[in-house]
Amino acid sequence: MHSKRSTAAFALIALILGVAAPAVARDQIRIVGSSTVFPFATAVAEEFGSSTSFKTPIIESTGSGGGFKLFCAGVGVETPDVTNASRRIKQSEIDLCEKNGVTAITEVKIGYDGIVVANSKKAAQESLTLKQLFLALAKEIPAPNGDIVPNPNKTWKDVDASLPDIAIEVLGPPPTSGTRDAFDELALEGGCKTFPDIAALEKTNKDRYKQICHSIREDGAFIEAGENDNLIVQKLQANPKAFGVFGYSFLDQNTDVIQGSIIGGVAPTFENISAGDYPVSRSLYFYVKNAHVGPIPGMQEYIAEFTSEKAMGEFGYLADKGLIPAPQAEREKFRADAVALKELGSLPSVASQK
Protein backbone atom coordinates (compact mmCIF):
# COMPACT_ATOMS: atom_id res chain seq x y z
CA MET A 1 0.00 0.00 0.00
CA HIS A 2 2.79 2.38 0.95
CA SER A 3 4.62 1.52 -2.27
CA LYS A 4 1.62 2.35 -4.47
CA ARG A 5 1.08 5.73 -2.81
CA SER A 6 4.82 6.48 -3.01
CA THR A 7 5.04 5.65 -6.71
CA ALA A 8 2.00 7.77 -7.51
CA ALA A 9 3.29 10.70 -5.50
CA PHE A 10 6.73 10.63 -7.09
CA ALA A 11 5.14 10.31 -10.51
CA LEU A 12 3.23 13.53 -9.80
CA ILE A 13 6.43 15.26 -8.58
CA ALA A 14 8.26 14.06 -11.67
CA LEU A 15 5.47 15.34 -13.91
CA ILE A 16 5.65 18.79 -12.28
CA LEU A 17 9.45 18.89 -12.60
CA GLY A 18 9.37 17.56 -16.14
CA VAL A 19 11.57 14.54 -15.48
CA ALA A 20 11.06 10.82 -15.88
CA ALA A 21 9.23 9.15 -13.02
CA PRO A 22 11.11 6.41 -11.13
CA ALA A 23 9.94 2.90 -11.85
CA VAL A 24 9.99 1.80 -8.21
CA ALA A 25 9.65 3.98 -5.11
CA ARG A 26 11.61 3.50 -1.90
CA ASP A 27 9.96 2.17 1.24
CA GLN A 28 12.87 3.11 3.52
CA ILE A 29 14.05 6.54 4.66
CA ARG A 30 17.53 7.53 3.45
CA ILE A 31 19.60 9.93 5.56
CA VAL A 32 23.03 11.49 4.94
CA GLY A 33 25.18 14.17 6.57
CA SER A 34 27.10 15.02 9.71
CA SER A 35 29.33 12.50 11.46
CA THR A 36 28.61 14.33 14.73
CA VAL A 37 24.84 13.90 14.38
CA PHE A 38 25.28 10.34 13.04
CA PRO A 39 25.19 8.55 16.45
CA PHE A 40 22.09 10.50 17.49
CA ALA A 41 20.30 9.82 14.22
CA THR A 42 21.32 6.15 14.44
CA ALA A 43 19.83 5.86 17.93
CA VAL A 44 16.57 7.43 16.71
CA ALA A 45 16.52 5.20 13.61
CA GLU A 46 16.97 2.07 15.71
CA GLU A 47 14.20 3.08 18.12
CA PHE A 48 11.97 4.04 15.18
CA GLY A 49 12.62 0.73 13.41
CA SER A 50 11.92 -1.35 16.51
CA SER A 51 8.83 0.52 17.72
CA THR A 52 6.95 1.08 14.44
CA SER A 53 5.95 -0.95 11.40
CA PHE A 54 8.38 1.02 9.20
CA LYS A 55 11.84 -0.13 8.14
CA THR A 56 14.85 1.22 9.99
CA PRO A 57 16.23 4.23 8.04
CA ILE A 58 19.53 3.92 6.19
CA ILE A 59 22.05 6.49 7.48
CA GLU A 60 25.31 7.45 5.78
CA SER A 61 27.98 9.63 7.41
CA THR A 62 29.11 12.02 4.67
CA GLY A 63 29.91 15.17 6.63
CA SER A 64 27.61 18.19 6.75
CA GLY A 65 28.87 19.74 3.52
CA GLY A 66 28.75 16.44 1.64
CA GLY A 67 25.27 15.80 2.99
CA PHE A 68 23.93 19.11 1.71
CA LYS A 69 25.35 18.41 -1.76
CA LEU A 70 23.53 15.08 -1.92
CA PHE A 71 20.35 16.43 -0.31
CA CYS A 72 20.17 19.42 -2.65
CA ALA A 73 20.79 17.37 -5.82
CA GLY A 74 17.05 17.13 -6.56
CA VAL A 75 13.71 15.56 -5.68
CA GLY A 76 13.10 11.85 -6.21
CA VAL A 77 13.92 8.41 -4.84
CA GLU A 78 17.54 8.60 -5.95
CA THR A 79 18.17 11.52 -3.56
CA PRO A 80 18.24 11.57 0.28
CA ASP A 81 15.16 12.47 2.31
CA VAL A 82 16.97 13.95 5.31
CA THR A 83 20.42 15.41 5.91
CA ASN A 84 22.05 15.83 9.31
CA ALA A 85 24.22 18.86 10.02
CA SER A 86 26.51 20.06 12.78
CA ARG A 87 26.14 23.62 11.52
CA ARG A 88 23.31 25.63 10.02
CA ILE A 89 22.68 25.38 6.29
CA LYS A 90 24.36 28.13 4.25
CA GLN A 91 22.50 30.45 1.90
CA SER A 92 24.57 29.07 -0.99
CA GLU A 93 23.25 25.59 -0.14
CA ILE A 94 19.67 26.83 -0.02
CA ASP A 95 20.28 28.36 -3.46
CA LEU A 96 21.65 25.03 -4.75
CA CYS A 97 18.58 23.23 -3.44
CA GLU A 98 16.23 25.69 -5.14
CA LYS A 99 18.19 25.47 -8.39
CA ASN A 100 17.62 21.71 -8.38
CA GLY A 101 13.93 21.85 -7.48
CA VAL A 102 14.25 21.30 -3.73
CA THR A 103 12.12 24.29 -2.86
CA ALA A 104 10.58 23.25 0.46
CA ILE A 105 12.92 22.41 3.35
CA THR A 106 12.19 22.12 7.06
CA GLU A 107 15.00 22.92 9.50
CA VAL A 108 14.96 21.00 12.79
CA LYS A 109 17.33 21.99 15.60
CA ILE A 110 17.86 19.01 17.89
CA GLY A 111 20.07 20.46 20.61
CA TYR A 112 23.65 21.52 21.26
CA ASP A 113 27.15 20.10 21.19
CA GLY A 114 30.64 21.16 22.18
CA ILE A 115 33.74 20.67 20.06
CA VAL A 116 36.51 19.15 22.14
CA VAL A 117 40.27 19.03 21.78
CA ALA A 118 40.96 15.67 23.39
CA ASN A 119 43.94 13.48 24.16
CA SER A 120 44.70 10.11 25.70
CA LYS A 121 44.27 9.65 29.45
CA LYS A 122 47.79 8.25 29.38
CA ALA A 123 48.95 11.89 29.03
CA ALA A 124 48.27 14.95 31.19
CA GLN A 125 45.08 16.92 30.66
CA GLU A 126 45.90 20.13 28.82
CA SER A 127 44.57 23.64 29.45
CA LEU A 128 44.55 25.80 26.31
CA THR A 129 43.36 29.23 25.28
CA LEU A 130 41.76 30.06 21.93
CA LYS A 131 44.84 32.18 21.18
CA GLN A 132 47.12 29.18 21.75
CA LEU A 133 44.96 26.99 19.50
CA PHE A 134 45.18 29.61 16.75
CA LEU A 135 48.97 29.89 17.08
CA ALA A 136 49.27 26.10 16.96
CA LEU A 137 46.96 25.34 14.05
CA ALA A 138 46.54 28.39 11.82
CA LYS A 139 48.22 28.37 8.43
CA GLU A 140 49.48 31.92 8.95
CA ILE A 141 50.16 33.78 12.20
CA PRO A 142 51.59 37.17 13.23
CA ALA A 143 55.37 37.42 13.54
CA PRO A 144 56.94 39.52 16.36
CA ASN A 145 57.35 42.42 13.90
CA GLY A 146 53.62 42.30 13.01
CA ASP A 147 53.98 40.64 9.60
CA ILE A 148 51.69 37.69 8.78
CA VAL A 149 53.92 34.69 8.07
CA PRO A 150 53.56 30.92 7.50
CA ASN A 151 53.16 29.21 10.88
CA PRO A 152 56.68 28.34 12.15
CA ASN A 153 55.60 26.63 15.39
CA LYS A 154 56.69 23.00 15.50
CA THR A 155 56.00 22.17 19.15
CA TRP A 156 53.42 23.25 21.71
CA LYS A 157 56.29 24.87 23.63
CA ASP A 158 56.95 27.05 20.56
CA VAL A 159 53.38 28.30 20.90
CA ASP A 160 53.71 29.07 24.62
CA ALA A 161 56.56 28.33 27.02
CA SER A 162 54.04 26.95 29.52
CA LEU A 163 52.99 24.14 27.15
CA PRO A 164 54.71 20.75 26.65
CA ASP A 165 57.78 20.39 24.48
CA ILE A 166 56.12 17.91 22.12
CA ALA A 167 55.37 18.16 18.41
CA ILE A 168 52.05 19.67 17.41
CA GLU A 169 49.97 16.77 16.07
CA VAL A 170 46.21 17.27 15.88
CA LEU A 171 43.82 14.91 14.12
CA GLY A 172 40.57 16.46 12.95
CA PRO A 173 37.79 16.54 10.38
CA PRO A 174 38.10 17.56 6.71
CA PRO A 175 36.65 20.79 5.18
CA THR A 176 33.41 18.96 4.24
CA SER A 177 32.63 18.53 7.95
CA GLY A 178 30.35 20.82 9.93
CA THR A 179 32.62 20.20 12.91
CA ARG A 180 35.53 21.66 10.90
CA ASP A 181 33.42 24.69 9.92
CA ALA A 182 32.42 25.27 13.53
CA PHE A 183 35.97 24.72 14.82
CA ASP A 184 37.32 27.23 12.29
CA GLU A 185 34.72 29.80 13.30
CA LEU A 186 34.62 29.29 17.07
CA ALA A 187 38.15 28.20 17.99
CA LEU A 188 40.46 29.37 15.22
CA GLU A 189 38.73 32.70 14.58
CA GLY A 190 38.17 33.13 18.31
CA GLY A 191 41.93 33.04 18.83
CA CYS A 192 42.62 35.07 15.71
CA LYS A 193 40.50 37.95 17.03
CA THR A 194 42.79 38.32 20.04
CA PHE A 195 45.31 40.04 17.74
CA PRO A 196 44.03 43.65 17.31
CA ASP A 197 45.67 44.24 13.91
CA ILE A 198 44.05 41.10 12.45
CA ALA A 199 40.72 41.85 14.11
CA ALA A 200 40.76 45.28 12.43
CA LEU A 201 41.00 43.57 9.03
CA GLU A 202 37.42 42.30 9.40
CA LYS A 203 36.22 45.83 8.56
CA THR A 204 38.87 46.83 6.02
CA ASN A 205 39.62 43.59 4.16
CA LYS A 206 37.11 40.88 5.05
CA ASP A 207 38.45 38.32 2.55
CA ARG A 208 41.98 38.59 3.94
CA TYR A 209 40.63 38.46 7.50
CA LYS A 210 38.75 35.23 6.75
CA GLN A 211 41.75 33.76 4.95
CA ILE A 212 43.96 34.28 8.00
CA CYS A 213 41.41 33.36 10.66
CA HIS A 214 39.84 30.29 8.98
CA SER A 215 42.81 28.57 7.30
CA ILE A 216 44.31 25.55 9.05
CA ARG A 217 47.95 24.67 8.38
CA GLU A 218 48.74 22.01 5.76
CA ASP A 219 52.28 21.06 6.76
CA GLY A 220 51.43 17.90 8.71
CA ALA A 221 50.73 19.40 12.14
CA PHE A 222 46.99 19.06 11.46
CA ILE A 223 45.98 15.71 10.01
CA GLU A 224 42.62 15.26 8.31
CA ALA A 225 41.16 12.00 9.61
CA GLY A 226 38.07 11.81 7.40
CA GLU A 227 34.47 11.66 8.61
CA ASN A 228 35.19 8.97 11.19
CA ASP A 229 35.45 10.33 14.73
CA ASN A 230 35.80 6.81 16.16
CA LEU A 231 39.00 6.46 14.15
CA ILE A 232 40.40 9.61 15.80
CA VAL A 233 39.61 8.17 19.23
CA GLN A 234 41.49 4.98 18.32
CA LYS A 235 44.51 6.97 17.10
CA LEU A 236 44.60 8.99 20.32
CA GLN A 237 44.72 5.76 22.31
CA ALA A 238 47.68 4.64 20.21
CA ASN A 239 49.52 7.98 20.41
CA PRO A 240 49.34 9.81 23.78
CA LYS A 241 51.19 12.82 22.30
CA ALA A 242 48.46 13.56 19.75
CA PHE A 243 45.24 15.54 20.11
CA GLY A 244 41.93 15.07 18.33
CA VAL A 245 39.10 17.44 17.40
CA PHE A 246 35.52 16.09 17.44
CA GLY A 247 32.10 16.50 19.02
CA TYR A 248 31.47 16.18 22.76
CA SER A 249 29.38 13.02 22.32
CA PHE A 250 32.47 11.04 21.25
CA LEU A 251 34.30 12.25 24.36
CA ASP A 252 31.29 11.34 26.48
CA GLN A 253 31.21 7.82 25.06
CA ASN A 254 34.96 7.26 25.55
CA THR A 255 35.79 8.86 28.91
CA ASP A 256 37.56 5.67 29.98
CA VAL A 257 40.37 6.27 27.48
CA ILE A 258 40.36 9.97 26.48
CA GLN A 259 39.92 13.37 28.13
CA GLY A 260 38.92 16.80 26.87
CA SER A 261 41.27 19.76 27.19
CA ILE A 262 40.15 22.74 29.26
CA ILE A 263 39.53 25.62 26.83
CA GLY A 264 39.61 29.20 28.06
CA GLY A 265 39.48 27.95 31.63
CA VAL A 266 36.30 25.90 31.05
CA ALA A 267 36.12 22.10 30.92
CA PRO A 268 34.03 20.47 28.15
CA THR A 269 31.30 19.05 30.38
CA PHE A 270 27.59 18.51 29.77
CA GLU A 271 26.78 21.21 32.33
CA ASN A 272 29.21 23.80 30.95
CA ILE A 273 28.06 23.32 27.35
CA SER A 274 24.41 23.39 28.38
CA ALA A 275 24.95 26.63 30.31
CA GLY A 276 26.73 28.24 27.34
CA ASP A 277 29.98 28.65 29.30
CA TYR A 278 32.16 26.40 27.14
CA PRO A 279 33.58 28.62 24.33
CA VAL A 280 33.60 26.03 21.52
CA SER A 281 29.96 24.94 21.29
CA ARG A 282 27.38 24.91 18.48
CA SER A 283 23.84 23.89 17.48
CA LEU A 284 22.99 20.59 15.77
CA TYR A 285 20.32 20.12 13.10
CA PHE A 286 18.64 17.88 10.59
CA TYR A 287 16.89 19.05 7.42
CA VAL A 288 13.83 17.47 5.84
CA LYS A 289 12.99 17.43 2.13
CA ASN A 290 9.28 18.21 2.42
CA ALA A 291 8.44 16.82 -1.03
CA HIS A 292 9.43 13.38 0.28
CA VAL A 293 7.06 13.49 3.26
CA GLY A 294 4.23 11.21 2.16
CA PRO A 295 5.90 9.57 -0.84
CA ILE A 296 8.52 8.01 1.44
CA PRO A 297 6.78 5.95 4.15
CA GLY A 298 7.47 6.88 7.76
CA MET A 299 8.84 10.38 7.27
CA GLN A 300 6.34 12.10 9.57
CA GLU A 301 6.70 9.35 12.15
CA TYR A 302 10.52 9.60 12.07
CA ILE A 303 10.36 13.37 12.58
CA ALA A 304 7.95 12.86 15.48
CA GLU A 305 10.27 10.29 17.10
CA PHE A 306 13.40 12.45 16.75
CA THR A 307 11.73 15.54 18.22
CA SER A 308 9.92 13.69 21.02
CA GLU A 309 10.72 14.32 24.68
CA LYS A 310 11.75 10.68 25.06
CA ALA A 311 14.46 11.28 22.44
CA MET A 312 15.78 14.84 22.76
CA GLY A 313 14.30 15.83 26.13
CA GLU A 314 16.30 16.63 29.24
CA PHE A 315 16.22 12.96 30.27
CA GLY A 316 15.83 11.54 26.76
CA TYR A 317 17.85 8.68 25.33
CA LEU A 318 19.88 11.09 23.16
CA ALA A 319 21.17 12.85 26.28
CA ASP A 320 22.58 9.45 27.26
CA LYS A 321 24.45 9.51 23.93
CA GLY A 322 25.97 12.94 24.65
CA LEU A 323 23.46 15.35 23.10
CA ILE A 324 23.08 18.58 25.10
CA PRO A 325 19.31 19.18 25.24
CA ALA A 326 17.92 22.63 24.49
CA PRO A 327 15.81 24.37 27.15
CA GLN A 328 12.22 23.13 27.28
CA ALA A 329 10.69 26.19 25.58
CA GLU A 330 13.11 25.80 22.67
CA ARG A 331 12.42 22.06 22.40
CA GLU A 332 8.68 22.71 22.21
CA LYS A 333 9.19 25.25 19.41
CA PHE A 334 11.55 22.93 17.48
CA ARG A 335 9.00 20.13 17.80
CA ALA A 336 6.03 22.27 16.68
CA ASP A 337 7.90 23.62 13.66
CA ALA A 338 9.10 20.14 12.69
CA VAL A 339 5.69 18.47 12.93
CA ALA A 340 4.12 21.34 10.96
CA LEU A 341 6.90 21.07 8.34
CA LYS A 342 7.55 24.80 8.64
CA GLU A 343 9.45 25.83 5.52
CA LEU A 344 12.87 27.42 5.79
CA GLY A 345 13.23 30.71 3.93
CA SER A 346 16.35 32.62 2.97
CA LEU A 347 18.99 33.36 5.58
CA PRO A 348 19.79 37.09 5.47
CA SER A 349 22.12 36.75 8.45
CA VAL A 350 24.39 34.32 6.58
CA ALA A 351 23.68 35.34 3.00
CA SER A 352 27.33 36.33 2.53
CA GLN A 353 28.64 32.86 3.41
CA LYS A 354 30.32 30.95 0.63
Side-chain angles (χ1 to χ4, degrees), residues 154-303:
K154 303 299 183 185
T155 70
W156 288 100
K157 195 174 184 67
D158 293 337
V159 169
D160 191 298
S162 67
L163 296 177
D165 189 15
I166 58 174
I168 298 168
E169 183 178 350
V170 179
L171 296 98
T176 53
S177 167
T179 299
R180 172 72 170 268
D181 285 340
F183 183 77
D184 290 352
E185 179 181 345
L186 298 170
L188 218 62
E189 185 177 349
C192 189
K193 284 180 175 179
T194 63
F195 295 92
D197 289 345
I198 301 178
L201 279 176
E202 188 173 13
K203 292 183 178 179
T204 61
N205 189 341
K206 196 164 186 176
D207 287 344
R208 180 57 177 150
Y209 167 82
K210 189 171 182 180
Q211 183 182 38
I212 297 170
C213 293
H214 283 228
S215 296
I216 288 183
R217 60 197 299 180
E218 301 171 342
D219 58 357
F222 183 88
I223 303 163
E224 292 181 5
E227 298 287 357
N228 188 340
D229 295 331
N230 284 315
L231 178 62
I232 298 180
V233 172
Q234 292 169 16
K235 287 183 177 293
L236 296 184
Q237 289 179 257
N239 182 4
K241 293 182 179 181
F243 290 82
V245 174
F246 42 77
Y248 167 78
S249 63
F250 285 89
L251 171 64
D252 185 57
Q253 298 298 309
N254 294 279
T255 53
D256 56 329
V257 292
I258 59 173
Q259 60 197 343
S261 301
I262 295 168
I263 305 294
V266 182
T269 65
F270 185 98
E271 292 76 17
N272 288 338
I273 298 168
S274 180
D277 296 332
Y278 183 68
V280 194
S281 57
R282 39 66 188 285
S283 302
L284 301 179
Y285 305 84
F286 70 85
Y287 291 82
V288 178
K289 191 175 296 179
N290 292 4
H292 287 199
V293 178
I296 300 297
M299 287 284 286
Q300 288 174 313
E301 292 82 358
Y302 175 80
I303 295 167

Side-chain angles (χ1 to χ4, degrees), residues 116-189:
V116 302
V117 180
N119 66 340
S120 169
K121 278 197 166 180
K122 296 174 185 175
Q125 184 182 37
E126 230 18 274
S127 181
L128 301 166
T129 65
L130 295 181
K131 182 177 182 179
Q132 289 168 343
L133 281 172
F134 172 75
L135 291 174
L137 297 177
K139 187 174 183 178
E140 299 175 290
I141 64 171
N145 64 3
D147 291 343
I148 303 299
V149 299
N151 194 333
N153 294 324
K154 303 299 183 185
T155 70
W156 288 100
K157 195 174 184 67
D158 293 337
V159 169
D160 191 298
S162 67
L163 296 177
D165 189 15
I166 58 174
I168 298 168
E169 183 178 350
V170 179
L171 296 98
T176 53
S177 167
T179 299
R180 172 72 170 268
D181 285 340
F183 183 77
D184 290 352
E185 179 181 345
L186 298 170
L188 218 62
E189 185 177 349

